[in-house]
Amino acid sequence: MSELLLDRSRCSVAGTLAVVGEKWTLLVLREAFLGVRRFADFQRILGAPKAVLTDRLAGLVDQGILRRVPYQAEGERQRHEYRLTRKGIDLFPTLVSLMEWGDRYLADGDAPLEIDHRDCGARVHLTLTCDAGHPVDGVRDVTSVRRG
Amino acid sequence: MSELLLDRSRCSVAGTLAVVGEKWTLLVLREAFLGVRRFADFQRILGAPKAVLTDRLAGLVDQGILRRVPYQAEGERQRHEYRLTRKGIDLFPTLVSLMEWGDRYLADGDAPLEIDHRDCGARVHLTLTCDAGHPVDGVRDVTSVRRG
DNA sequence: TGGAGGAGGTTCGTCAAGCGAACTCAGGGT
DNA sequence: ACCCTGAGTTCGCTTGACGAACCTCCTCCA
């Protein structure tokens, strides 16, 4: 039972959830991945309370996951939009993993949204593999080792 | 901008978050993957309020992600423990994705917990690939298609 | 036989977070 | 001069999280 002695306080899962684990945050990011950039669009699509949305967007900008970019459409005044940074883009696998689980267990295997490889058009999915190239089926194929 | 017309209410990300998106839920599952099975161990390690923990465990059992298994250690009365179901085990990639992001951006690339392949000992990673076998680097290599 | 003690909760009062509706403020269009 | 729209802020209410205290079995030990 040595795993029970692990220092959970510096666990990366807890750290990541402290950053993106609040209500609406991951849904904001889902929309960002689908191309949404403006406050009003986030608000209309998600239906989140504006005050909460303001808070989540500010938090994501603080964390460097989104950045505010000023822009000006013709015939409109200057506004700013929210764009994913590299740090934000790297949350894409997390979103995909949530989507794949929901597709399997909540949508009866019927994916409302399909993600395809831009180059070849084939379906994209997440896989666990080891550095030697073997497929890893799940937690039973794995050992966890504390480091430090 | 056709993506903006997608019906987000049946999005699998939102569905999955409705099931595991509350505070503590994914941390409970992290402990379950590390081998924790008993109420008192979850409570002691996580430090979550007991009432919340009771509620989260009951919810996970309701959803079929954990199951309560009665057992009896010698010299002790009968108790029950919480074990992952297949449905729960399939959330492993989600936990791994959160961990990998935290390792990269919060722990300076220094993983507090290392996950290795049981058979060969090599490090285990999540990768995005397409069915044709190409590696997918991120959201820019991808197109999203509504289905239905 | 009668505590003591631990597992697995429940109850309670307080405090933070999320909620919808209303309001604000700046700039552009007419 | 007035209205409209995007991007918020403010406000009162409700829901959820929190820690401390309490409860109920059951077993062990004296």
Side-chain angles (χ1 to χ4, degrees):
Chain A
M1 252 337 171
S2 73
E3 288 124 345
L4 295 184
L5 300 175
L6 256 173
D7 178 8
R8 259 53 169 218
S9 65
R10 24 182 236 109
C11 166
S12 290
V13 175
T16 304
L17 288 173
V19 175
V20 300
E22 285 176 302
K23 202 167 181 184
W24 297 110
T25 304
L26 285 165
L27 295 176
V28 167
L29 291 172
R30 176 194 68 187
E31 295 308 318
F33 282 116
L34 289 172
V36 173
R37 291 185 180 150
R38 285 153 60 160
F39 186 93
D41 289 330
F42 284 112
Q43 210 271 315
R44 178 175 44 80
I45 294 169
L46 294 175
K50 290 171 142 200
V52 175
L53 189 55
T54 301
D55 183 74
R56 291 310 112 89
L57 287 168
L60 288 168
V61 170
D62 275 2
Q63 295 289 334
I65 291 170
L66 297 178
R67 61 181 204 278
R68 285 179 114 193
V69 181
Y71 77 102
Q72 188 151 19
E74 54 229 277
E76 287 190 16
R77 64 177 152 149
Q78 176 171 328
R79 305 188 182 286
H80 52 264
E81 56 184 12
Y82 297 90
R83 285 171 168 270
L84 287 161
T85 63
R86 173 68 204 227
K87 191 172 173 182
I89 288 172
D90 283 345
L91 283 164
F92 189 59
T94 296
L95 270 293
V96 172
S97 73
L98 292 167
M99 199 188 78
E100 290 194 344
W101 191 89
D103 287 345
R104 173 160 356 193
Y105 289 106
L106 306 174
D108 255 342
D110 199 25
L113 183 72
E114 182 179 313
I115 297 179
D116 297 327
H117 191 198
R118 188 182 295 279
D119 294 348
C120 73
R123 195 66 180 276
V124 166
H125 51 90
L126 268 182
T127 50
L128 272 178
T129 51
C130 77
D131 284 345
H134 307 126
V136 177
D137 210 34
V139 74
R140 298 203 200 284
D141 284 359
V142 134
T143 56
S144 304
V145 183
R146 176 175 37 166
R147 297 184 10 142
Chain B
M1 254 333 176
S2 73
E3 290 123 346
L4 294 184
L5 301 174
L6 257 172
D7 178 9
R8 257 57 167 216
S9 65
R10 18 180 241 112
C11 167
S12 289
V13 175
T16 304
L17 287 173
V19 175
V20 300
E22 285 176 302
K23 202 168 181 185
W24 297 110
T25 304
L26 285 166
L27 295 176
V28 167
L29 290 172
R30 176 194 68 188
E31 295 308 318
F33 282 116
L34 289 172
V36 173
R37 292 186 178 149
R38 285 152 61 158
F39 187 93
D41 290 329
F42 285 111
Q43 210 271 314
R44 179 176 43 79
I45 294 169
L46 294 174
K50 289 173 142 199
V52 175
L53 189 55
T54 301
D55 183 73
R56 291 308 113 90
L57 288 169
L60 288 168
V61 170
D62 275 1
Q63 295 289 334
I65 292 169
L66 297 178
R67 61 181 202 278
R68 285 179 115 191
V69 180
Y71 77 102
Q72 187 151 20
E74 52 228 279
E76 288 190 14
R77 65 175 152 148
Q78 176 171 327
R79 305 188 182 286
H80 53 263
E81 56 184 13
Y82 297 90
R83 285 172 168 270
L84 287 160
T85 64
R86 174 68 204 226
K87 191 172 174 182
I89 288 172
D90 283 346
L91 283 164
F92 190 58
T94 297
L95 271 292
V96 172
S97 73
L98 291 167
M99 200 188 77
E100 290 194 344
W101 191 87
D103 287 345
R104 174 160 356 193
Y105 289 106
L106 306 174
D108 256 343
D110 199 26
L113 183 71
E114 183 177 312
I115 297 178
D116 297 327
H117 192 198
R118 187 182 296 278
D119 294 346
C120 73
R123 196 65 179 276
V124 166
H125 291 288
L126 266 184
T127 51
L128 273 178
T129 51
C130 76
D131 283 344
H134 307 125
V136 177
D137 210 35
V139 72
R140 298 203 200 283
D141 284 358
V142 134
T143 56
S144 305
V145 182
R146 174 173 40 164
R147 298 185 5 143

